[in-house]
Amino acid sequence: MSVDNSILSVDDVSVHFTDSSGFLGLFGERQTVRAVDGISLDIGENDVVTLIGESGCGKSTLGKTIIGAQEPTHGSITYRGQDIWEAKNGRDPDIPFSEIRRSLQIIHQDPGSALNPNQRILTSLMLPLKKWNPNLGEEERRKRIYALLERVGLTPAEDFVERFPHQLSGGEKQRVVLVRSLLLNPDVILADEAISALDVSLRVEMMDLMLELQDLFNTSYVFISHDLSNARYIAEKSGGRIAVMYLGRIVEVGPIEQVIGDPQHPYTQALKWATPNLYEGEGDDGLPIRKIDIPDPTNRPSGCHFHPRCPKAREVCETNDPGAFEDGSGRAARCFRADDTHEYWDSPSIVDD
Ligand SMILES: Nc1ncnc2c1ncn2[C@@H]1O[C@H](COP(=O)(O)OP(=O)(O)OP(=O)(O)O)[C@@H](O)[C@H]1O
């Protein structure tokens, strides 16, 4: 899906891992996991996109690919028109890879692992600022760090900068990591389950803080979450998009009013059904999923990959792979049901009553 003013363009990107470990590997068989499979997505200025889906659907791999930390096996990622991997491989880029690296930052679930346990917070924040902004004097650097720490509520900053990571709570560490990313003035921050490890009471506070700072820094975010309530909160507050992933693909993407308010893809409907505070008062049409088990990612079902679990599957879904249908509202869904005139509607159901 394309946007105006795009910073990052993901164009038909796949990431396939070939694995010869495991049982079949003993017999020399190599299996391919299609962690990301033919995804196109643009990230614009001041944009927010939240990737949601079950464990193993490819959210982290797509996120890492978007920020240039994972090389795609197919397709391209461009940053302001510059192919990231051509820049990384030094093919005379218009934008050097170091500049791309600075512009695309990541915040992980575990802030502890992102901070050197032997360094005081001041050193952890000073070093990257010095590396990326060598013309900035020590006093100016210190001023920026203090101002940002105060802005995220780590006050008094003079006290926090003298501490080591083990002297901070999880929420405080995550704020320090956020400050460290923002000091580099990035265009895009990938927040990979960045709030999942925080106490529930702190999650909303952290999401609010990140979105407030977005306005100040003109930063775009790609949030990764397995929790549809959090994804809804972020998308609602930011006016951003939600992208629902299933077995390496985006099966539905668009604004919150469409994707959560009126989901088109049966998988999005199942996710919504499984999130009680989103489903309240919507009646009970029965279980919106036929099988709980996630299919083997090395051996995906034919046709629509969701068809064995889909309560609305018809014969055509077993053989034909749906493309993305756009409905003119900014939403696209990979389901034949999104097309009123599709042969799906005349195809016999494969679901037992
Ligand atoms: N380096 C790798 N080598 C082989 N397979 C991998 C590798 N990284 C990821 N995978 C596989 O790719 C698929 C997608 O993994 P990924 O971590 O992107 O999913 P996810 O949606 O982020 O899951 P989770 O929410 O559990 O973190 C999984 O089947 C995973 O086992």
Side-chain angles (χ1 to χ4, degrees):
M1 173 167 278
S2 63
V3 294
D4 302 335
N5 69 12
S6 106
I7 301 173
L8 277 173
S9 290
V10 176
D11 185 16
D12 196 17
V13 159
S14 296
V15 182
H16 297 174
F17 296 110
T18 304
D19 186 6
S20 51
S21 62
F23 178 73
L24 288 173
L26 293 174
F27 301 95
E29 277 201 44
R30 289 156 69 85
Q31 298 185 303
T32 299
V33 177
R34 290 175 162 77
V36 173
D37 193 23
I39 286 182
S40 297
L41 181 75
D42 280 2
I43 315 287
E45 305 265 4
N46 236 323
D47 202 358
V48 175
V49 178
T50 304
L51 304 176
I52 177 102
E54 286 162 310
S55 180
C57 69
K59 304 180 295 294
S60 290
T61 307
L62 176 61
K64 282 191 255 173
T65 312
I66 286 174
I67 60 154
Q70 169 69 52
E71 187 164 15
T73 41
H74 180 271
S76 67
I77 319 275
T78 50
Y79 167 77
R80 298 192 182 281
Q82 169 65 55
D83 185 290
I84 293 184
W85 286 88
E86 287 196 358
K88 188 162 191 175
N89 296 325
R91 296 199 194 109
D92 198 16
D94 291 333
I95 305 176
F97 185 69
S98 57
E99 172 60 17
I100 299 175
R101 206 63 218 95
R102 180 199 60 75
S103 302
L104 309 177
Q105 292 290 314
I106 182 167
I107 302 178
H108 294 281
Q109 178 171 3
D110 174 15
S113 65
L115 295 169
N116 184 331
N118 303 315
Q119 275 176 355
R120 291 184 196 277
I121 299 307
L122 183 62
T123 314
S124 287
L125 297 177
M126 280 285 207
L127 288 178
L129 199 51
K130 191 172 178 182
K131 178 175 172 196
W132 297 111
N133 218 335
N135 297 329
L136 217 57
E138 164 125 13
E139 209 31 56
E140 183 57 26
R141 266 187 277 143
R142 193 181 280 263
K143 251 166 70 183
R144 285 196 193 183
I145 289 170
Y146 282 20
L148 208 44
L149 285 173
E150 302 263 347
R151 178 66 192 74
V152 302
L154 297 180
T155 53
E158 297 82 14
D159 170 30
F160 274 93
V161 292
E162 293 307 323
R163 298 198 198 170
F164 288 95
H166 75 266
Q167 295 171 309
L168 302 181
S169 71
E172 289 167 343
K173 274 187 261 194
Q174 200 56 293
R175 281 159 199 253
V176 169
V177 173
L178 176 63
V179 165
R180 192 173 60 178
S181 294
L182 288 170
L183 281 169
L184 304 180
N185 211 10
D187 281 330
V188 179
I189 294 180
L190 167 67
D192 190 350
E193 301 279 12
I195 56 156
S196 308
L198 301 179
D199 285 348
V200 175
S201 58
L202 288 178
R203 287 183 196 163
V204 169
E205 213 176 286
M206 190 69 190
M207 288 188 279
D208 284 345
L209 182 61
M210 292 175 88
L211 295 176
E212 279 164 33
L213 291 168
Q214 178 186 27
D215 287 339
L216 212 59
F217 285 84
N218 214 10
T219 303
S220 298
Y221 285 110
V222 177
F223 284 97
I224 291 180
S225 177
H226 62 272
D227 183 326
L228 195 57
S229 308
N230 291 339
R232 198 258 311 242
Y233 186 83
I234 291 163
E236 205 158 56
K237 193 132 196 205
S238 64
R241 287 169 290 163
I242 291 191
V244 180
M245 289 189 70
Y246 187 74
L247 283 181
R249 290 171 164 185
I250 291 177
V251 293
E252 184 158 3
V253 58
I256 174 133
E257 305 83 53
Q258 277 77 32
V259 176
I260 305 296
D262 177 26
Q264 196 93 73
H265 198 287
Y267 178 61
T268 317
Q269 290 164 1
L271 284 182
K272 183 175 170 182
W273 177 87
T275 313
N277 60 337
L278 296 185
Y279 200 72
E280 267 166 23
E282 297 212 8
D284 187 6
D285 291 340
L287 207 59
I289 200 149
R290 289 196 286 150
K291 292 181 186 167
I292 300 296
D293 306 331
I294 305 171
D296 176 359
T298 63
N299 183 21
R300 297 175 309 169
S302 61
C304 170
H305 299 329
F306 187 60
H307 86 258
R309 301 173 82 189
C310 182
K312 293 168 179 150
R314 300 192 178 194
E315 277 181 11
V316 66
C317 309
E318 292 180 302
T319 49
N320 294 13
D321 188 8
F325 296 96
E326 295 192 20
D327 68 1
S329 70
R331 174 244 301 278
R334 288 187 77 127
C335 176
F336 298 130
R337 296 172 60 83
D339 177 3
D340 289 342
T341 58
H342 196 272
E343 64 174 287
Y344 164 90
W345 299 104
D346 296 321
S347 179
S349 171
I350 55 169
V351 180
D352 297 332
D353 289 330

